[in-house]
């Protein structure tokens, strides 16, 4: 049976891990290298590292920090933030990442998805989407970039389908309305996108309890659930979440 993945996200700002709610009021919560090593020990399936201000500041990825994190974890490791060229993708992979997440830069230059997939393989190219409810859009959801600061005008469902047709091998679907709230994922959004594309969809934004993960993995049809606040707060460990999911008949790697 297809195992569901638990992925921990480290949002990084100025070299430190940070956490906010709906992309605001971020607080420093620790050293990303130490935290990566700890989540690896706890049995996380994958790690995602987002440099949350790189695109807004117009700079590329912090390669030395990426390679330090990569040296601590022996699982798939995805890096996002400020990756705007094929050279950025190459240097990020050479620094130790298995995948790159393209978000703001993919919207500005969709060709980057196609070229990246052609050179490095679809499995390396992840489409990152920061989505919020927008009743003016056909799907009811719009897409934002630059950490939620700029509305792209793109309908979320249309952009997800287009990104996959361009070559993205996976989608990280972040609900900005739910982000950091710990009130549960946007099941409706996740299910809509997951049922409309042929690649794995990772649900992001709102995970607060193992039940929330169970709901989005089952009802939301997500392939994986991304968590941050739940484990950063120390309330749960990756292992305890997996044990709970296993009891709820969600197939996970123990």
């Amino acid at each position: 049976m297809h195992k569901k993945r638990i992925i921990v996200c480290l949002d990084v700002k100025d070299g430190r891990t940070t956490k906010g709610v709906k992309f605001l009021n971020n607080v420093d919560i620790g050293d990303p290298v130490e935290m990566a090593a700890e989540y690896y020990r706890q049995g996380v399936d994958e790690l995602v590292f987002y440099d949350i201000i790189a695109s807004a500041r117009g700079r590329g990825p912090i390669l030395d920090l990426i390679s330090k994190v990569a040296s601590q974890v022996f699982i798939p490791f995805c890096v996002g933030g400020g990756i705007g060229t094929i050279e950025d993708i190459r240097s990020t992979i050479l620094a130790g990442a298995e995948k790159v997440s393209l978000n703001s830069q993919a919207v500005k230059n969709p060709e980057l998805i196609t070229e990246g997939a052609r050179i490095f393989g679809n499995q390396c190219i992840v489409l990152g989407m920061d989505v919020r409810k927008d009743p003016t859009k056909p799907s009811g959801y719009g897409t934002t970039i630059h950490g939620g600061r700029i509305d792209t005008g793109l309908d979320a469902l249309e952009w997800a389908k287009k990104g996959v047709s361009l070559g993205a091998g996976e989608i990280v679907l972040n609900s900005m309305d739910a982000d950091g709230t710990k009130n549960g994922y946007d099941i409706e959004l996740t299910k809509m996108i997951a049922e409309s594309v042929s690649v794995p969809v990772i649900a992001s934004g709102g995970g607060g309890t193992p039940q929330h993960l169970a709901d989005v993995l089952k009802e939301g049809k997500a392939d994986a659930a991304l968590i941050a606040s739940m484990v950063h707060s120390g309330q749960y460990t990756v292992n305890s979440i997996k044990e709970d999911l296993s009891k709820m008949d969600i197939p996970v790697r123990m």
Side-chain angles (χ1 to χ4, degrees):
M1 195 170 181
H2 182 65
K3 298 253 198 286
K4 302 286 189 176
R5 291 170 290 153
I6 307 303
I7 302 173
V8 169
C9 177
L10 301 175
D11 284 334
V12 177
K13 180 181 180 185
D14 300 324
R16 300 283 294 173
T17 307
T18 178
K19 193 70 200 111
V21 176
K22 299 186 181 180
F23 288 34
L24 299 169
N25 307 322
N26 284 69
V27 290
D28 182 321
I29 54 170
D31 172 27
V33 181
E34 287 169 15
M35 290 173 77
E38 174 56 30
Y39 294 132
Y40 176 64
R41 276 196 294 276
Q42 288 181 18
V44 74
D45 297 312
E46 293 189 23
L47 199 66
V48 174
F49 171 112
Y50 285 131
D51 187 326
I52 60 170
I53 50 173
S55 280
R57 286 192 179 164
R59 65 159 168 72
I62 314 173
L63 299 172
D64 60 332
L65 187 57
I66 292 164
S67 76
K68 280 180 191 154
V69 171
S71 72
Q72 299 298 313
V73 300
F74 304 93
I75 46 173
F77 172 41
C78 177
V79 172
I83 297 172
T85 65
I86 290 297
E87 204 34 65
D88 287 340
I89 297 176
R90 181 176 284 113
S91 56
T92 301
I93 290 170
L94 288 172
E98 270 79 18
K99 309 177 188 181
V100 295
S101 178
L102 306 176
N103 187 325
S104 305
Q105 305 298 336
V107 170
K108 293 179 187 170
N109 175 20
E111 184 60 26
L112 187 61
I113 301 175
T114 310
E115 273 297 278
R118 186 180 66 76
I119 297 168
F120 304 103
N122 303 66
Q123 79 288 345
C124 284
I125 307 299
V126 178
L127 179 65
M129 293 176 60
D130 291 323
V131 172
R132 61 158 67 103
K133 289 187 172 121
D134 181 347
T136 68
K137 297 285 184 290
S139 69
Y141 292 89
T143 308
T144 69
I145 56 171
H146 287 308
R149 287 183 279 273
I150 297 172
D151 182 358
T152 63
L154 294 167
D155 177 78
L157 181 57
E158 285 308 304
W159 176 232
K161 288 180 181 169
K162 185 173 182 200
V164 172
S165 73
L166 290 168
E170 196 164 61
I171 292 175
V172 172
L173 182 64
N174 188 38
S175 162
M176 290 186 59
D177 303 298
D179 180 77
T181 63
K182 301 194 209 170
N183 294 332
Y185 297 88
D186 188 328
I187 306 283
E188 187 190 343
L189 167 67
T190 310
K191 184 173 184 227
M192 174 180 70
I193 304 282
E195 288 183 336
S196 305
V197 297
S198 56
V199 301
V201 171
I202 299 164
S204 169
T209 67
Q211 185 63 55
H212 291 155
L213 277 79
D215 292 343
V216 83
L217 293 168
K218 266 188 183 162
E219 294 163 44
K221 307 277 205 286
D223 239 80
L226 195 99
I227 52 174
S229 310
M230 274 178 86
V231 284
H232 294 343
S233 65
Q235 191 179 359
Y236 296 95
T237 65
V238 174
N239 205 34
S240 75
I241 293 168
K242 285 187 172 186
E243 280 170 3
D244 288 343
L245 289 173
S246 193
K247 284 175 197 153
M248 293 184 238
D249 295 325
I250 306 277
V252 289
R253 293 188 188 97
M254 294 306 288

